[in-house]
mmCIF file of all heavy atoms in Angstrom:
data_model
loop_
_atom_site.group_PDB
_atom_site.id
_atom_site.type_symbol
_atom_site.label_atom_id
_atom_site.label_comp_id
_atom_site.label_asym_id
_atom_site.label_seq_id
_atom_site.Cartn_x
_atom_site.Cartn_y
_atom_site.Cartn_z
ATOM 1 N N LEU A 450 122.294 189.003 103.541
ATOM 2 C CA LEU A 450 121.478 187.833 103.229
ATOM 3 C C LEU A 450 120.447 188.161 102.152
ATOM 4 O O LEU A 450 120.198 187.357 101.240
ATOM 5 C CB LEU A 450 120.781 187.343 104.500
ATOM 6 C CG LEU A 450 120.025 186.013 104.412
ATOM 7 C CD1 LEU A 450 120.981 184.884 104.043
ATOM 8 C CD2 LEU A 450 119.320 185.715 105.726
ATOM 9 N N GLY A 451 119.842 189.334 102.240
ATOM 10 C CA GLY A 451 118.895 189.747 101.213
ATOM 11 C C GLY A 451 119.564 189.880 99.853
ATOM 12 O O GLY A 451 119.008 189.476 98.822
ATOM 13 N N GLY A 452 120.778 190.431 99.834
ATOM 14 C CA GLY A 452 121.514 190.536 98.588
ATOM 15 C C GLY A 452 121.892 189.176 98.030
ATOM 16 O O GLY A 452 121.929 188.981 96.807
ATOM 17 N N LEU A 453 122.162 188.219 98.916
ATOM 18 C CA LEU A 453 122.505 186.869 98.477
ATOM 19 C C LEU A 453 121.343 186.198 97.755
ATOM 20 O O LEU A 453 121.559 185.425 96.812
ATOM 21 C CB LEU A 453 122.925 186.017 99.680
ATOM 22 C CG LEU A 453 124.369 186.166 100.144
ATOM 23 C CD1 LEU A 453 124.617 185.303 101.374
ATOM 24 C CD2 LEU A 453 125.335 185.792 99.031
ATOM 25 N N ALA A 454 120.127 186.478 98.195
ATOM 26 C CA ALA A 454 118.961 185.889 97.533
ATOM 27 C C ALA A 454 118.889 186.340 96.074
ATOM 28 O O ALA A 454 118.654 185.535 95.165
ATOM 29 C CB ALA A 454 117.685 186.280 98.281
ATOM 30 N N VAL A 455 119.135 187.631 95.852
ATOM 31 C CA VAL A 455 119.120 188.159 94.485
ATOM 32 C C VAL A 455 120.307 187.629 93.698
ATOM 33 O O VAL A 455 120.184 187.241 92.528
ATOM 34 C CB VAL A 455 119.137 189.697 94.512
ATOM 35 C CG1 VAL A 455 119.196 190.258 93.093
ATOM 36 C CG2 VAL A 455 117.906 190.227 95.241
ATOM 37 N N LEU A 456 121.472 187.589 94.329
ATOM 38 C CA LEU A 456 122.669 187.111 93.647
ATOM 39 C C LEU A 456 122.543 185.641 93.274
ATOM 40 O O LEU A 456 122.998 185.224 92.199
ATOM 41 C CB LEU A 456 123.893 187.329 94.541
ATOM 42 C CG LEU A 456 125.237 186.896 93.967
ATOM 43 C CD1 LEU A 456 125.515 187.585 92.633
ATOM 44 C CD2 LEU A 456 126.358 187.191 94.967
ATOM 45 N N THR A 457 121.930 184.845 94.139
ATOM 46 C CA THR A 457 121.716 183.431 93.823
ATOM 47 C C THR A 457 120.817 183.278 92.610
ATOM 48 O O THR A 457 121.084 182.467 91.709
ATOM 49 C CB THR A 457 121.093 182.704 95.030
ATOM 50 O OG1 THR A 457 121.972 182.806 96.157
ATOM 51 C CG2 THR A 457 120.853 181.239 94.712
ATOM 52 N N HIS A 458 119.747 184.065 92.563
ATOM 53 C CA HIS A 458 118.834 184.029 91.410
ATOM 54 C C HIS A 458 119.570 184.429 90.132
ATOM 55 O O HIS A 458 119.382 183.822 89.068
ATOM 56 C CB HIS A 458 117.660 184.956 91.662
ATOM 57 C CG HIS A 458 116.679 185.020 90.529
ATOM 58 N ND1 HIS A 458 115.841 183.969 90.207
ATOM 59 C CD2 HIS A 458 116.409 186.014 89.638
ATOM 60 C CE1 HIS A 458 115.105 184.300 89.170
ATOM 61 N NE2 HIS A 458 115.422 185.535 88.797
ATOM 62 N N THR A 459 120.426 185.457 90.241
ATOM 63 C CA THR A 459 121.194 185.901 89.076
ATOM 64 C C THR A 459 122.163 184.825 88.610
ATOM 65 O O THR A 459 122.321 184.593 87.406
ATOM 66 C CB THR A 459 121.971 187.183 89.429
ATOM 67 O OG1 THR A 459 121.053 188.195 89.857
ATOM 68 C CG2 THR A 459 122.755 187.695 88.230
ATOM 69 N N THR A 460 122.812 184.154 89.561
ATOM 70 C CA THR A 460 123.764 183.100 89.208
ATOM 71 C C THR A 460 123.070 181.931 88.523
ATOM 72 O O THR A 460 123.567 181.400 87.520
ATOM 73 C CB THR A 460 124.497 182.611 90.473
ATOM 74 O OG1 THR A 460 125.122 183.723 91.129
ATOM 75 C CG2 THR A 460 125.558 181.580 90.118
ATOM 76 N N VAL A 461 121.918 181.540 89.042
ATOM 77 C CA VAL A 461 121.153 180.450 88.419
ATOM 78 C C VAL A 461 120.744 180.833 87.009
ATOM 79 O O VAL A 461 120.824 180.022 86.071
ATOM 80 C CB VAL A 461 119.920 180.113 89.279
ATOM 81 C CG1 VAL A 461 119.008 179.137 88.538
ATOM 82 C CG2 VAL A 461 120.341 179.520 90.615
ATOM 83 N N ARG A 462 120.337 182.088 86.822
ATOM 84 C CA ARG A 462 119.936 182.546 85.497
ATOM 85 C C ARG A 462 121.123 182.522 84.534
ATOM 86 O O ARG A 462 120.971 182.187 83.351
ATOM 87 C CB ARG A 462 119.362 183.955 85.588
ATOM 88 C CG ARG A 462 118.867 184.501 84.257
ATOM 89 C CD ARG A 462 118.486 185.969 84.365
ATOM 90 N NE ARG A 462 117.416 186.173 85.330
ATOM 91 C CZ ARG A 462 116.989 187.368 85.722
ATOM 92 N NH1 ARG A 462 117.587 188.454 85.234
ATOM 93 N NH2 ARG A 462 116.000 187.479 86.578
ATOM 94 N N ALA A 463 122.315 182.880 85.029
ATOM 95 C CA ALA A 463 123.498 182.893 84.171
ATOM 96 C C ALA A 463 123.850 181.497 83.684
ATOM 97 O O ALA A 463 124.347 181.323 82.568
ATOM 98 C CB ALA A 463 124.681 183.498 84.921
ATOM 99 N N PHE A 464 123.587 180.460 84.503
ATOM 100 C CA PHE A 464 123.896 179.090 84.110
ATOM 101 C C PHE A 464 122.790 178.464 83.262
ATOM 102 O O PHE A 464 123.019 177.426 82.632
ATOM 103 C CB PHE A 464 124.125 178.232 85.358
ATOM 104 C CG PHE A 464 125.516 178.339 85.914
ATOM 105 C CD1 PHE A 464 125.817 179.279 86.875
ATOM 106 C CD2 PHE A 464 126.526 177.506 85.458
ATOM 107 C CE1 PHE A 464 127.101 179.387 87.399
ATOM 108 C CE2 PHE A 464 127.813 177.604 85.969
ATOM 109 C CZ PHE A 464 128.103 178.553 86.934
ATOM 110 N N SER A 465 121.624 179.084 83.253
ATOM 111 C CA SER A 465 120.501 178.503 82.516
ATOM 112 C C SER A 465 120.253 179.178 81.177
ATOM 113 O O SER A 465 119.272 178.865 80.492
ATOM 114 C CB SER A 465 119.223 178.580 83.357
ATOM 115 O OG SER A 465 118.889 179.934 83.637
ATOM 116 N N THR A 466 121.122 180.111 80.800
ATOM 117 C CA THR A 466 120.955 180.809 79.529
ATOM 118 C C THR A 466 122.191 180.630 78.666
ATOM 119 O O THR A 466 123.282 180.357 79.181
ATOM 120 C CB THR A 466 120.691 182.317 79.749
ATOM 121 O OG1 THR A 466 120.421 182.937 78.507
ATOM 122 C CG2 THR A 466 121.891 182.973 80.393
ATOM 123 N N ALA A 467 122.009 180.773 77.382
ATOM 124 C CA ALA A 467 123.125 180.632 76.442
ATOM 125 C C ALA A 467 123.626 181.982 75.950
ATOM 126 O O ALA A 467 124.662 182.058 75.289
ATOM 127 C CB ALA A 467 122.709 179.777 75.247
ATOM 128 N N VAL A 468 122.904 183.041 76.274
ATOM 129 C CA VAL A 468 123.260 184.383 75.820
ATOM 130 C C VAL A 468 123.154 185.351 76.992
ATOM 131 O O VAL A 468 122.209 185.274 77.783
ATOM 132 C CB VAL A 468 122.330 184.849 74.677
ATOM 133 C CG1 VAL A 468 122.700 186.255 74.236
ATOM 134 C CG2 VAL A 468 122.403 183.900 73.506
ATOM 135 N N ALA A 469 124.112 186.245 77.101
ATOM 136 C CA ALA A 469 124.076 187.265 78.146
ATOM 137 C C ALA A 469 123.090 188.350 77.741
ATOM 138 O O ALA A 469 123.434 189.287 77.023
ATOM 139 C CB ALA A 469 125.469 187.851 78.354
ATOM 140 N N SER A 470 121.860 188.206 78.170
ATOM 141 C CA SER A 470 120.812 189.146 77.790
ATOM 142 C C SER A 470 120.947 190.469 78.536
ATOM 143 O O SER A 470 121.690 190.585 79.519
ATOM 144 C CB SER A 470 119.441 188.536 78.074
ATOM 145 O OG SER A 470 119.274 188.324 79.464
ATOM 146 N N GLU A 471 120.207 191.450 78.057
ATOM 147 C CA GLU A 471 120.216 192.763 78.716
ATOM 148 C C GLU A 471 119.702 192.655 80.150
ATOM 149 O O GLU A 471 120.226 193.311 81.061
ATOM 150 C CB GLU A 471 119.353 193.730 77.918
ATOM 151 C CG GLU A 471 119.261 195.120 78.539
ATOM 152 C CD GLU A 471 118.292 196.007 77.793
ATOM 153 O OE1 GLU A 471 117.843 195.612 76.707
ATOM 154 O OE2 GLU A 471 117.973 197.103 78.314
ATOM 155 N N ARG A 472 118.696 191.823 80.356
ATOM 156 C CA ARG A 472 118.124 191.663 81.695
ATOM 157 C C ARG A 472 119.126 191.034 82.651
ATOM 158 O O ARG A 472 119.242 191.448 83.806
ATOM 159 C CB ARG A 472 116.864 190.795 81.608
ATOM 160 C CG ARG A 472 116.130 190.641 82.923
ATOM 161 C CD ARG A 472 114.861 189.829 82.735
ATOM 162 N NE ARG A 472 114.156 189.639 83.992
ATOM 163 C CZ ARG A 472 113.055 188.917 84.122
ATOM 164 N NH1 ARG A 472 112.528 188.336 83.047
ATOM 165 N NH2 ARG A 472 112.462 188.798 85.290
ATOM 166 N N LEU A 473 119.878 190.050 82.169
ATOM 167 C CA LEU A 473 120.894 189.419 83.005
ATOM 168 C C LEU A 473 121.997 190.407 83.353
ATOM 169 O O LEU A 473 122.464 190.468 84.497
ATOM 170 C CB LEU A 473 121.482 188.211 82.283
ATOM 171 C CG LEU A 473 122.651 187.504 82.980
ATOM 172 C CD1 LEU A 473 122.222 186.971 84.342
ATOM 173 C CD2 LEU A 473 123.189 186.369 82.107
ATOM 174 N N CYS A 474 122.398 191.204 82.382
ATOM 175 C CA CYS A 474 123.447 192.193 82.623
ATOM 176 C C CYS A 474 123.015 193.223 83.664
ATOM 177 O O CYS A 474 123.810 193.630 84.519
ATOM 178 C CB CYS A 474 123.807 192.893 81.323
ATOM 179 S SG CYS A 474 124.571 191.807 80.114
ATOM 180 N N LEU A 475 121.758 193.633 83.586
ATOM 181 C CA LEU A 475 121.245 194.586 84.561
ATOM 182 C C LEU A 475 121.228 193.970 85.954
ATOM 183 O O LEU A 475 121.580 194.626 86.944
ATOM 184 C CB LEU A 475 119.838 195.030 84.165
ATOM 185 C CG LEU A 475 119.137 196.000 85.126
ATOM 186 C CD1 LEU A 475 119.952 197.274 85.283
ATOM 187 C CD2 LEU A 475 117.730 196.315 84.635
ATOM 188 N N SER A 476 120.844 192.710 86.050
ATOM 189 C CA SER A 476 120.810 192.030 87.333
ATOM 190 C C SER A 476 122.205 191.922 87.938
ATOM 191 O O SER A 476 122.396 192.127 89.147
ATOM 192 C CB SER A 476 120.194 190.634 87.165
ATOM 193 O OG SER A 476 120.097 189.980 88.412
ATOM 194 N N VAL A 477 123.193 191.617 87.103
ATOM 195 C CA VAL A 477 124.580 191.548 87.574
ATOM 196 C C VAL A 477 125.046 192.923 88.037
ATOM 197 O O VAL A 477 125.708 193.062 89.070
ATOM 198 C CB VAL A 477 125.496 191.009 86.465
ATOM 199 C CG1 VAL A 477 126.965 191.098 86.888
ATOM 200 C CG2 VAL A 477 125.138 189.565 86.129
ATOM 201 N N ASP A 478 124.697 193.945 87.280
ATOM 202 C CA ASP A 478 125.075 195.314 87.627
ATOM 203 C C ASP A 478 124.502 195.716 88.981
ATOM 204 O O ASP A 478 125.193 196.284 89.837
ATOM 205 C CB ASP A 478 124.579 196.256 86.533
ATOM 206 C CG ASP A 478 125.133 197.667 86.682
ATOM 207 O OD1 ASP A 478 126.149 197.836 87.391
ATOM 208 O OD2 ASP A 478 124.559 198.597 86.099
ATOM 209 N N LEU A 479 123.233 195.416 89.196
ATOM 210 C CA LEU A 479 122.588 195.756 90.470
ATOM 211 C C LEU A 479 123.220 195.004 91.631
ATOM 212 O O LEU A 479 123.421 195.562 92.718
ATOM 213 C CB LEU A 479 121.086 195.459 90.392
ATOM 214 C CG LEU A 479 120.277 196.269 89.381
ATOM 215 C CD1 LEU A 479 118.826 195.823 89.392
ATOM 216 C CD2 LEU A 479 120.383 197.753 89.662
ATOM 217 N N SER A 480 123.542 193.734 91.403
ATOM 218 C CA SER A 480 124.177 192.942 92.457
ATOM 219 C C SER A 480 125.541 193.512 92.817
ATOM 220 O O SER A 480 125.921 193.551 93.995
ATOM 221 C CB SER A 480 124.325 191.485 92.009
ATOM 222 O OG SER A 480 123.060 190.875 91.826
ATOM 223 N N ALA A 481 126.287 193.970 91.807
ATOM 224 C CA ALA A 481 127.606 194.544 92.065
ATOM 225 C C ALA A 481 127.492 195.852 92.848
ATOM 226 O O ALA A 481 128.237 196.086 93.799
ATOM 227 C CB ALA A 481 128.328 194.779 90.743
ATOM 228 N N ILE A 482 126.553 196.695 92.458
ATOM 229 C CA ILE A 482 126.352 197.963 93.167
ATOM 230 C C ILE A 482 125.982 197.715 94.628
ATOM 231 O O ILE A 482 126.525 198.344 95.544
ATOM 232 C CB ILE A 482 125.252 198.796 92.472
ATOM 233 C CG1 ILE A 482 125.731 199.258 91.100
ATOM 234 C CG2 ILE A 482 124.855 199.996 93.332
ATOM 235 C CD1 ILE A 482 124.657 199.932 90.267
ATOM 236 N N TYR A 483 125.067 196.783 94.843
ATOM 237 C CA TYR A 483 124.635 196.461 96.204
ATOM 238 C C TYR A 483 125.802 195.921 97.022
ATOM 239 O O TYR A 483 125.984 196.285 98.192
ATOM 240 C CB TYR A 483 123.507 195.437 96.150
ATOM 241 C CG TYR A 483 122.846 195.168 97.482
ATOM 242 C CD1 TYR A 483 121.836 196.005 97.954
ATOM 243 C CD2 TYR A 483 123.226 194.083 98.262
ATOM 244 C CE1 TYR A 483 121.227 195.765 99.178
ATOM 245 C CE2 TYR A 483 122.618 193.844 99.483
ATOM 246 C CZ TYR A 483 121.621 194.681 99.935
ATOM 247 O OH TYR A 483 121.024 194.451 101.151
ATOM 248 N N SER A 484 126.610 195.060 96.398
ATOM 249 C CA SER A 484 127.761 194.489 97.101
ATOM 250 C C SER A 484 128.762 195.568 97.485
ATOM 251 O O SER A 484 129.286 195.565 98.607
ATOM 252 C CB SER A 484 128.434 193.442 96.201
ATOM 253 O OG SER A 484 129.602 192.944 96.803
ATOM 254 N N HIS A 485 129.048 196.491 96.582
ATOM 255 C CA HIS A 485 129.995 197.563 96.881
ATOM 256 C C HIS A 485 129.489 198.430 98.036
ATOM 257 O O HIS A 485 130.268 198.836 98.912
ATOM 258 C CB HIS A 485 130.204 198.438 95.643
ATOM 259 C CG HIS A 485 130.762 197.695 94.468
ATOM 260 N ND1 HIS A 485 131.466 196.517 94.597
ATOM 261 C CD2 HIS A 485 130.715 197.972 93.129
ATOM 262 C CE1 HIS A 485 131.844 196.097 93.394
ATOM 263 N NE2 HIS A 485 131.387 196.952 92.500
ATOM 264 N N PHE A 486 128.199 198.695 98.023
ATOM 265 C CA PHE A 486 127.635 199.534 99.086
ATOM 266 C C PHE A 486 127.728 198.845 100.442
ATOM 267 O O PHE A 486 128.126 199.460 101.448
ATOM 268 C CB PHE A 486 126.177 199.869 98.772
ATOM 269 C CG PHE A 486 125.538 200.781 99.788
ATOM 270 C CD1 PHE A 486 125.668 202.152 99.687
ATOM 271 C CD2 PHE A 486 124.811 200.261 100.847
ATOM 272 C CE1 PHE A 486 125.087 202.999 100.624
ATOM 273 C CE2 PHE A 486 124.229 201.087 101.790
ATOM 274 C CZ PHE A 486 124.366 202.466 101.675
ATOM 275 N N MET A 487 127.362 197.549 100.486
ATOM 276 C CA MET A 487 127.415 196.836 101.755
ATOM 277 C C MET A 487 128.847 196.663 102.240
ATOM 278 O O MET A 487 129.113 196.616 103.444
ATOM 279 C CB MET A 487 126.731 195.470 101.619
ATOM 280 C CG MET A 487 125.235 195.540 101.333
ATOM 281 S SD MET A 487 124.322 196.711 102.376
ATOM 282 C CE MET A 487 124.624 196.042 104.013
ATOM 283 N N LEU A 488 129.792 196.575 101.317
ATOM 284 C CA LEU A 488 131.204 196.544 101.713
ATOM 285 C C LEU A 488 131.594 197.865 102.362
ATOM 286 O O LEU A 488 132.277 197.882 103.400
ATOM 287 C CB LEU A 488 132.084 196.270 100.492
ATOM 288 C CG LEU A 488 133.597 196.399 100.724
ATOM 289 C CD1 LEU A 488 134.075 195.367 101.755
ATOM 290 C CD2 LEU A 488 134.363 196.247 99.413
#
Side-chain angles (χ1 to χ4, degrees):
L450 188 61
L453 278 178
V455 177
L456 181 57
T457 300
H458 179 71
T459 302
T460 304
V461 171
R462 182 188 299 173
F464 277 91
S465 62
T466 185
V468 179
S470 64
E471 178 186 350
R472 184 177 179 183
L473 175 61
C474 294
L475 178 59
S476 183
V477 173
D478 190 19
L479 296 178
S480 295
I482 292 173
Y483 188 84
S484 176
H485 299 338
F486 182 86
M487 295 314 299
L488 172 63

